[in-house]
Amino acid sequence: NKMVIGWIITLAIIEWYSIGITVLAYRKKEKLFLLNLIPFVSFFYIDKLVKGFTILVVPTKKWGLTSIILLVAALISTGLTYLGNAHFGAENAMYIQQIMLVPIVICLLLLYLGIVCSSLELYRMIEIKMPNYARVLSALFILPIPLALIIRGK
């Protein structure tokens, strides 16, 4: 099923981001740095570090809570899609699936943009000396902290 593949990719992106945040916490000599490997713990660690950032034009003060809300909304929409597939005919289920795809895509896109924007804010915070295009590309491919620390040489 395409939705299952999408959720696997989403969770892989979250975990890849968490690995980067774990490396940052290790470099900052945090005691419980390995806790950042647990999904969503790293988002709360970012809250502690950056004290807010903007996703597109929307200021985000509590990234941990925002990310959980986005994922819960996407999960509810996914559940409603499966519920529609189970209880309605093929034609009606298709309509429900198309309608529910809108909030799923919006929530997951906002989550991805939040990861990218928080990565860029972290770059700014730890004063990475690299060209702006390299910052944006590495943030888009979710390579925020390990790549930045390697480039910085710390």
Side-chain angles (χ1 to χ4, degrees):
N1 192 334
K2 293 176 186 175
M3 279 199 191
V4 173
I5 293 170
W7 277 106
I8 290 171
I9 291 170
T10 299
L11 293 175
I13 288 171
I14 290 170
E15 195 54 37
W16 182 245
Y17 179 74
S18 296
I19 290 169
I21 300 305
T22 302
V23 170
L24 175 67
Y26 174 76
R27 296 290 173 107
K28 288 181 141 302
K29 308 274 192 270
E30 297 284 340
K31 287 182 188 176
L32 302 172
F33 68 93
L34 286 175
L35 283 178
N36 287 308
L37 289 174
I38 300 170
F40 307 109
V41 172
S42 59
F43 294 132
F44 289 98
Y45 182 70
I46 293 299
D47 279 346
K48 189 170 82 170
L49 285 180
V50 299
K51 307 284 191 271
F53 56 93
T54 57
I55 301 174
L56 300 177
V57 294
V58 179
T60 305
K61 295 286 183 198
K62 296 184 179 188
W63 176 231
L65 182 61
T66 303
S67 64
I68 289 176
I69 289 170
L70 288 171
L71 276 167
V72 166
L75 278 172
I76 289 171
S77 297
T78 302
L80 290 173
T81 300
Y82 282 113
L83 191 66
N85 287 339
H87 294 290
F88 295 108
E91 186 177 331
N92 289 337
M94 182 184 65
Y95 294 130
I96 291 172
Q97 185 174 9
Q98 289 173 352
I99 290 169
M100 287 294 113
L101 205 55
V102 172
I104 293 169
V105 169
I106 289 172
C107 289
L108 296 182
L109 184 64
L110 285 174
L111 181 73
Y112 175 73
L113 288 174
I115 288 172
V116 170
C117 292
S118 67
S119 299
L120 291 172
E121 183 64 22
L122 282 171
Y123 279 161
R124 191 192 61 72
M125 249 185 58
I126 57 180
E127 298 174 351
I128 301 299
K129 302 285 189 256
M130 59 195 272
N132 286 337
Y133 74 88
R135 287 181 190 214
V136 171
L137 284 176
S138 62
L140 287 174
F141 292 110
I142 324 263
L143 302 171
I145 304 309
L147 180 66
L149 292 174
I150 290 168
I151 290 172
R152 189 174 179 195
K154 287 203 172 191

